[in-house]
């Protein structure tokens, strides 16, 4: 009998105390409601179920419930069970804190911050086009096929199904020389960089050369690991590796410089690998949007030139969605163990999404999605280039051959006012200044970094209009 | 026309070079197969699709494919398309490495290690009973309900839906004083401890008191953060907080000491919180299996006594599956920002599983699953206690009131030989010695830590038989 009820209902933690069981239970329940621990509307377990849990008579629980309904703390309604009454628990000014928390009296910080009307910040793809139905189908197939022990603690490198699928895909589509044994799955590219930063520092590295323009968050991750970042000069052929002397490693975006948009010139690709071979340095290749290329010959992964000296970093954040928190590092043979150890010796990425992505890759759904979105992004890029040429001839669009963003060059001295004007129109867009390494010697360039992949389809033309309206005409 | 083909097929990265386009393409393809970059059986894009991608005539691609089929590198079959032939690419002894990698000549490390026939190691629930169908249903509902921007980079604390659902559940079922704003979602409990270790060290902490018996991996995580761990004495009332002097924090499993299985005595619960209030110390409460209790009054979270001085750590690893890599910390108000910053300022946990768990909690599926599995685990525990009493009277089972494991006390000096005998029978089981802190003063105790939650149902009675067979009778 107790067994039967044990599987029904919900759990409710109570610690009745004192001599009278019914009074003790009533007091404990009242206190849980009064203190706000049980929120208004919370459904309580049935008296049968709670009695079985507490090992007491059902009548005792039913009596306590009845007392509290009479007192107004609970409500009992046919079909809806017993619930905590609304409006009875005094909302505490300081919810459970002992010390004064001034902001608790003002409006609490919202759980979800407000979003701008139009968003052209780079970094995210069109999330409204995330292939939800296809993803769920793949999740079902993956979970159906997975052995039960796939749900256990796993290899710190990630699920073998995903590493195998990635090895095949990266070799075919990006020219990466991949081997499942050398792949480590990470919770986003930043997580991968954090691991590599720790490993480099533990090996005695002090300095990582970076690009003059890039992501501040990546430089901070390396700094947190105790590494100094030194920017390399940049010109129309991309980042100049001539100044690499003294660096222990270099972080590059060779296929599509972020945010400038140019590929690393062929000679410089060779020069970087030569430097690494000559000095024992390590190249960190951030291939964040390598799948998205439009009118030019694709640029393969630098890693293909020397998989012993180049770490390849890829991600599902641009091709699918950042919220998946799935990225991957293809490592030289001597680094795999150290990176897995830096992960804490256990996998930290959810197995279900890993298995689903593996199924997505092997079934061809990933290729289909990338190719379909690539076409849509190319159309957006074409519309952007045409609109700017027609409506803002003083601005110049560059870095358009690939990726989900362009660089929009502005007349000198106008960047900040354009960003501000955009803000007033409800358009969120980034100036180039925020991507400039503090130690960069070259003169700053006025430009916007326009992420045309970001808006959902219904907001795209509005975002483009808003952008053109604030550009110097 | 090109647009139409752009969305079909798969991506194939090639860099044809040299004057003759067809010859260049043929050479590039042959090299990709010969080097092993394209694995045997890999399906190539259709000639139409690849021609569109490369911006060349379809006939050129078809010609190159035909040449390579004639040479035996590719196969073309009606309905199955063009594929890399099997048996053509010489398996390289050193796949792409420049330097010699001796182990590459021997059998490679298997992607999935062999599992023992019977597994009674503690730490995992019965993974075969993971509610796959219910989870997929919740995933569908969660993804249907999620706004598209939920798939973007998110709050480092985790999705608000999950933090809100957890706050309600933990308050109701575990007596935690929770507030969504103070919850940080982590990729497993170890990830949470790693973050807390970093925050404590940054605040100047040097020493964390721990239990005499516990998880070596947790102590190592704290040591990695630069913190010394000092074990506290242990007796039948649980860990003795009398020796806390000098510690900056203490890590405890109050509801169900791991692995000894006793709850922390009521007086000692108060003493721990008093110590924290008096000294400004922090209590880290690891509530790893708080949901599983059987015959006794449930033990609520210690955090309920003082949410300003106790960090509550919970996890889905025992109630659902470790592979989800979802855990949560409920933090004092002054720690939230620091822990979120230690996470790197971005969320590192997959959004889809977070949304699914939120839906699982709010729909009541979580309660149903916990209550159903609790009943099954209790039956296993009863069978274990009865079998040991009947077949191995010299062994004594303790710590049976809760959780997914028991402590099986053995005659002095027999632990190692019992573990070894079990291993020979294909039964994996842990001795207590591996859970003993190196600096523990008390005499070692001979015992097994038996995880009766681990095997799937079909292997449970076999595992129990194997266990009884190796116990000293």
């Amino acid at each position: 009998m107790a067994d039967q009820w044990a599987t029904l209902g919900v759990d409710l933690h109570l610690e009745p105390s004192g001599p009278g069981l019914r009074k003790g239970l009533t007091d404990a329940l009242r206190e849980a409601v009064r203190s706000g621990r049980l929120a208004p509307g919370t459904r309580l377990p049935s008296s049968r179920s709670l009695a079985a849990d507490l090992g007491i008579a059902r009548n005792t629980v039913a009596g306590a419930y009845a007392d509290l309904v009479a007192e107004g703390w609970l409500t009992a309604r046919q079909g809806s069970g017993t619930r905590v009454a609304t409006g009875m628990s005094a909302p505490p000014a300081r919810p459970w804190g002992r010390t004064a928390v001034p902001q608790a009296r003002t409006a609490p910080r919202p759980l979800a911050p407000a979003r701008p009307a139009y968003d052209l910040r780079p970094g995210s793809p069109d999330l409204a086009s995330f292939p939800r139905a296809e993803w769920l189908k793949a999740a079902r197939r993956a979970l159906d096929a997975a052995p039960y022990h796939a749900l256990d603690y796993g290899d710190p490198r990630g699920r073998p199904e995903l590493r195998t699928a990635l090895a095949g895909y990266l070799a075919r589509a990006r020219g990466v020389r991949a081997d499942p044994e050398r792949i480590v799955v990470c919770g986003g590219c930043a997580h991968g960089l954090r691991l590599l930063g720790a490993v480099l520092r533990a090996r005695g590295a002090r300095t990582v050369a970076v690009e003059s323009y890039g992501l501040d968050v990546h430089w901070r991750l390396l700094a947190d690991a105790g590494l100094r970042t030194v920017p390399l000069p940049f010109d129309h052929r991309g980042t100049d590796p001539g100044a690499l002397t003294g660096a222990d490693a270099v972080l590059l975006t060779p296929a599509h410089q972020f945010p400038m948009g140019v590929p690393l010139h062929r000679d410089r690709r060779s020069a970087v690998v030569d430097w690494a071979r000559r000095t024992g340095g390590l190249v960190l290749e951030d291939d964040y949007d390598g799948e998205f290329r439009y009118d030019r010959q694709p640029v393969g992964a630098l890693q293909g030139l020397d998989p012993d000296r180049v770490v390849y970093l890829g991600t599902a954040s641009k091709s699918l969605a950042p919220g998946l928190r799935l990225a991957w590092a293809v490592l030289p043979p001597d680094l795999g163990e150290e990176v897995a150890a830096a992960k804490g010796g256990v996998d930290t990425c959810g197995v279900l999404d890993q298995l689903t992505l593996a199924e997505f890759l092997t079934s061809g759904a990933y290729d289909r999605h990338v190719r379909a979105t690539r076409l849509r992004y190319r159309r957006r890029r074409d519309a952007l280039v045409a609109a700017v040429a027609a409506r803002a001839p003083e601005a110049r669009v560059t870095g358009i051959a690939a990726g989900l963003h362009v660089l929009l060059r502005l007349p000198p001295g106008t960047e900040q006012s354009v960003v501000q004007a955009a803000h007033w129109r409800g358009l969120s867009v980034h100036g180039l200044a925020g991507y400039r390494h503090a130690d960069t010697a070259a003169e700053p360039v006025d430009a916007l970094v326009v992420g045309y992949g970001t808006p959902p389809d219904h907001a795209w033309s509005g975002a483009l209009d808003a952008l053109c309206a604030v550009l110097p005409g």
Side-chain angles (χ1 to χ4, degrees), chain A:
Chain A
M1 183 67 184
D3 275 9
Q4 184 186 338
W5 293 109
T7 65
L8 297 171
V10 297
D11 279 359
L12 175 62
H13 178 75
L14 287 173
E15 295 186 36
S17 58
L21 198 53
R22 172 164 165 179
K23 178 164 182 315
L25 180 62
T26 310
D27 289 350
L29 261 171
R30 191 192 296 108
E31 183 50 32
V33 175
R34 195 206 314 260
S35 70
R37 176 163 78 83
L38 295 177
T42 300
R43 184 173 184 161
L44 300 186
S46 73
S47 55
R48 253 190 249 250
S49 160
L50 185 58
D53 283 359
L54 296 176
I56 59 180
R58 185 187 166 192
N59 278 349
T60 310
V61 178
Y65 278 9
D67 290 350
L68 293 168
V69 169
E71 292 176 23
W73 295 101
L74 304 180
T75 60
R77 216 164 274 140
Q78 196 73 31
S80 140
T82 307
R83 289 176 185 274
V84 176
T86 50
M88 281 301 282
S89 71
R94 301 181 289 109
W96 314 307
R98 278 188 315 127
T99 52
V101 183
Q103 68 270 30
R105 295 204 171 267
T106 66
R109 181 143 67 114
L111 278 172
R115 300 182 69 84
Y118 297 117
D119 193 351
L120 290 175
R121 290 174 294 185
S124 296
D126 171 7
L127 298 169
S129 78
F130 180 80
R132 298 185 183 211
E134 281 291 325
W135 186 264
L136 283 168
K137 260 188 246 171
R140 180 172 299 274
R141 280 196 304 265
L143 200 49
D144 281 350
Y148 68 84
H149 51 74
L151 296 166
D152 208 347
Y153 294 97
D155 190 318
R157 294 172 298 177
R159 283 300 302 172
E161 294 91 338
L162 177 56
R163 290 184 283 125
T164 303
L166 282 170
Y169 171 77
L170 294 173
R172 167 168 62 74
R174 299 294 302 128
V176 173
R177 296 188 180 262
D179 172 340
E181 294 293 316
R182 294 200 202 159
I183 294 179
V184 173
V185 178
C186 325
C189 184
H191 181 222
L193 264 186
R194 169 184 289 263
L195 298 174
L196 286 161
V199 167
L200 281 169
R201 188 68 196 84
R203 284 185 164 205
R206 308 303 300 247
T207 306
V208 177
V210 297
E211 297 171 307
S212 305
Y213 290 88
L215 281 177
D216 181 52
V217 62
H218 288 177
W219 303 328
R220 267 189 287 122
L221 282 172
L222 295 172
D224 287 350
L227 296 161
R228 198 165 72 95
T229 59
V230 179
L232 296 169
F234 175 87
D235 60 31
H236 65 284
R237 298 199 303 164
T239 295
D240 182 358
L244 269 173
T245 328
D248 300 296
V250 58
L251 171 64
L252 293 171
T253 48
H256 187 227
Q257 207 284 328
F258 187 85
M260 302 308 248
V262 298
L264 188 62
H265 189 275
R266 175 175 291 267
D267 298 345
R268 291 187 169 171
R269 288 165 62 94
S270 308
V272 168
V273 171
D274 284 346
W275 164 82
R277 287 177 174 164
R278 209 170 54 241
T279 64
L282 196 70
V283 183
L284 310 180
E285 174 179 28
D286 178 5
D287 192 42
Y288 62 105
D289 68 358
E291 278 98 348
F292 296 102
R293 56 191 162 67
Y294 309 113
D295 348 71
R296 60 170 163 78
Q297 194 70 343
V299 178
L302 186 66
Q303 189 262 12
L305 296 183
D306 192 342
D308 285 354
R309 302 256 46 102
V310 183
V311 174
Y312 175 90
L313 287 162
T315 175
S317 293
K318 315 299 179 233
S319 55
L320 285 163
L324 290 180
R325 303 282 71 211
L326 283 175
W328 39 87
V330 185
L331 298 159
D334 56 338
L335 270 179
E337 297 279 323
E338 283 164 77
V339 171
K343 228 177 157 184
V346 290
D347 197 3
T348 52
C349 302
V351 156
L352 301 184
D353 282 342
Q354 290 191 59
L355 294 173
T356 304
L357 180 56
E359 167 67 25
F360 216 71
L361 283 161
T362 50
S363 70
Y366 189 87
D367 277 276
R368 282 195 299 278
H369 175 69
V370 164
R371 295 174 73 89
T373 50
R374 187 190 291 152
L375 186 62
R376 292 178 46 240
Y377 291 134
R378 197 180 72 194
R379 287 182 181 142
R380 284 194 189 181
R381 181 209 58 172
D382 293 346
L384 171 63
V385 170
V388 170
R391 296 174 56 184
E394 281 197 52
R396 194 159 56 85
V397 187
T398 64
I400 64 172
L404 306 179
H405 74 274
V406 295
L407 195 74
L408 221 159
R409 297 264 193 150
L410 299 173
T414 60
E415 178 181 312
Q416 212 180 341
S417 61
V418 170
V419 170
Q420 190 56 54
H423 181 72
W424 287 327
R425 290 188 83 99
L427 169 65
S428 200
V429 66
H430 284 175
L432 181 60
Y435 297 94
R436 188 167 183 272
H437 194 286
D439 300 337
T440 295
E443 282 296 299
V445 173
D446 282 75
L448 299 181
V449 184
V450 179
Y452 56 84
T454 309
D457 268 342
H458 67 82
W460 161 241
S461 65
L464 183 55
D465 271 349
L467 175 70
C468 289
V470 298
L471 290 178

